Amino acid sequence: MGVELLDLSVPIVTGMPVYPGDPEVEAVPALTVARDGVNVLRLHLGSQTGTHVDAPFHIDDALPKLDELPLARFTGPAVVMDVRGLPPRSPIPPDAVPPGLAPGDVLLIATDWSRHWGTEAYLAHPYPAPETAEAVVAAGVRTVCIDALSVDRTPPPGSDDFSLAAHRVLCGAGAVIAENLTGLGRLADAQAAGCAIEVSLFPLALAGADGAPVRAVARIDDRAVLV
């Protein structure tokens, strides 16, 4: 195979799923070739739309904003935490953290919950327990990604059982969090086959922001087999 680039992002389209309470998404023509000579979209969306990163500022005014973070925080060698098969709304325990995590690694939490994208079941995703987030931080990792709506439990409709426990551990350590990724199962399989994986999650350059959408891309290289 050699090198493969894999898009880990969900498309941004009108009416797409958003976290409950976030701005709804609209992407509609503002200008058209027929009328104006060019095509231009008008976008209405929140900073946490689709596949996106959270800056620490997302949960605390005193923490770094998106444009205050080093670019290195948004790219690096990837390590997949393969927790596919967990039941709905289950916390991911600390013993799921892969051994050998090191500073500079990008941790990808593969729950396989992206298969529920666009359905009510997507809200019932697994999530890392606070102790798991603490173990990740203790390993020096400052970039954590998940193929689910949040790294914390999402309350079911009609419930106020809201938590930011994992966010507070990770963001409090200066980490960035990427959510709503897709295709992580493919990366888990590639890792199991010994392939080297790198990930890039560069956000829009929004000044003073809490986060931004990203085009998340993985580079899989089976010529650089891990030992």
Side-chain angles (χ1 to χ4, degrees), residues 182-222:
T182 188
L184 296 191
R186 169 74 182 88
L187 298 186
D189 294 341
Q191 177 177 271
C195 298
I197 304 169
E198 296 179 0
V199 170
S200 295
L201 320 137
F202 292 111
L204 296 176
L206 299 179
D210 59 280
V214 303
R215 185 70 177 268
V217 176
R219 182 181 185 272
I220 307 169
D221 190 351
D222 69 357

Side-chain angles (χ1 to χ4, degrees), residues 66-134:
L66 188 65
D67 54 351
E68 296 172 340
L69 296 168
L71 288 176
R73 201 66 52 88
F74 304 101
T75 188
V79 177
V80 183
M81 179 194 294
D82 189 356
V83 291
R84 292 175 291 179
L86 287 176
R89 301 192 187 281
S90 56
I92 301 168
D95 61 10
V97 176
L101 275 182
D105 287 342
V106 176
L107 178 64
L108 304 174
I109 305 175
T111 69
D112 198 29
W113 227 252
S114 56
R115 73 187 189 278
H116 297 300
W117 176 254
T119 74
E120 197 69 25
Y122 193 63
L123 301 179
H125 58 88
Y127 55 92
E131 299 80 10
T132 305
E134 289 168 358

Side-chain angles (χ1 to χ4, degrees), residues 46-48 52-55 57-58 65-66 203-204 206 208-213:
S47 57
Q48 306 282 315
H52 67 275
V53 293
D54 297 350
F57 179 69
H58 180 48
K65 300 177 176 67
L66 188 65
L204 296 176
L206 299 179
D210 59 280

Side-chain angles (χ1 to χ4, degrees), residues 15-92:
M16 68 187 290
V18 297
Y19 193 89
D22 275 14
E24 297 295 332
V25 177
E26 187 177 46
V28 296
L31 304 176
T32 66
V33 168
R35 185 186 64 211
D36 308 293
V38 292
N39 287 316
V40 175
L41 280 178
R42 176 183 293 112
L43 301 177
H44 177 273
L45 68 165
S47 57
Q48 306 282 315
T49 292
T51 306
H52 67 275
V53 293
D54 297 350
F57 179 69
H58 180 48
I59 56 98
D60 192 320
D61 289 345
L63 294 176
K65 300 177 176 67
L66 188 65
D67 54 351
E68 296 172 340
L69 296 168
L71 288 176
R73 201 66 52 88
F74 304 101
T75 188
V79 177
V80 183
M81 179 194 294
D82 189 356
V83 291
R84 292 175 291 179
L86 287 176
R89 301 192 187 281
S90 56
I92 301 168

